[in-house]
Amino acid sequence: MEDILISLLCSRATWDRLIAKAPIADYCCPSYLDECEFPGSSGTVTMAYAGPDLALKGIRPFLDALVRVPSLQWLQTCAAGVEDPVYTSLARRGVKITNNHATAPAI
């Protein structure tokens, strides 16, 4: 892939759902949560997406791991609220945090 602008950390199910709705594969390269030892361990992650499938499995370990990913610039989450202290920690670092429910187009 040429000129990849976004390195996206997400689950494979989320990626499949995203590319079915929009041609993002031209500018986005996924790293799959379910195939990484640790989020961000396989290169630079600029964006993370905590989709509904992750929320159903338990989002806490994922969020805690994101605090340790220094290259993260944007977190898209399906969570209804972002009052958890981990979001404050990420925001203080300059990470953009956006949320969106699963019924609307994401990212």
Side-chain angles (χ1 to χ4, degrees), residues 74-86:
W74 182 8
L75 169 60
Q76 167 70 25
T77 178
C78 70
V82 291
E83 61 278 339
D84 189 289
V86 74

Side-chain angles (χ1 to χ4, degrees), residues 7-101:
S7 174
L8 175 66
L9 180 64
C10 63
S11 70
R12 186 176 286 278
T14 293
W15 177 254
D16 291 343
R17 191 175 60 256
L18 291 173
I19 62 171
K21 293 184 179 209
I24 64 172
D26 293 340
Y27 56 87
C28 191
C29 179
S31 293
Y32 302 117
L33 290 172
D34 17 20
E35 298 172 11
C36 290
E37 285 182 29
F38 172 78
S41 63
S42 60
T44 302
V45 171
T46 53
M47 183 176 177
Y49 180 39
D53 53 314
L54 180 60
L56 293 173
K57 292 178 186 177
I59 198 170
R60 177 91 257 150
F62 175 67
L63 292 177
D64 291 341
L66 289 181
V67 172
R68 299 184 304 269
V69 179
S71 58
L72 185 65
Q73 297 174 21
W74 182 8
L75 169 60
Q76 167 70 25
T77 178
C78 70
V82 291
E83 61 278 339
D84 189 289
V86 74
Y87 295 110
T88 303
S89 173
L90 292 169
R92 283 189 183 132
R93 270 193 11 220
V95 175
K96 307 278 187 276
I97 301 170
T98 54
N99 69 341
N100 182 337
H101 292 284

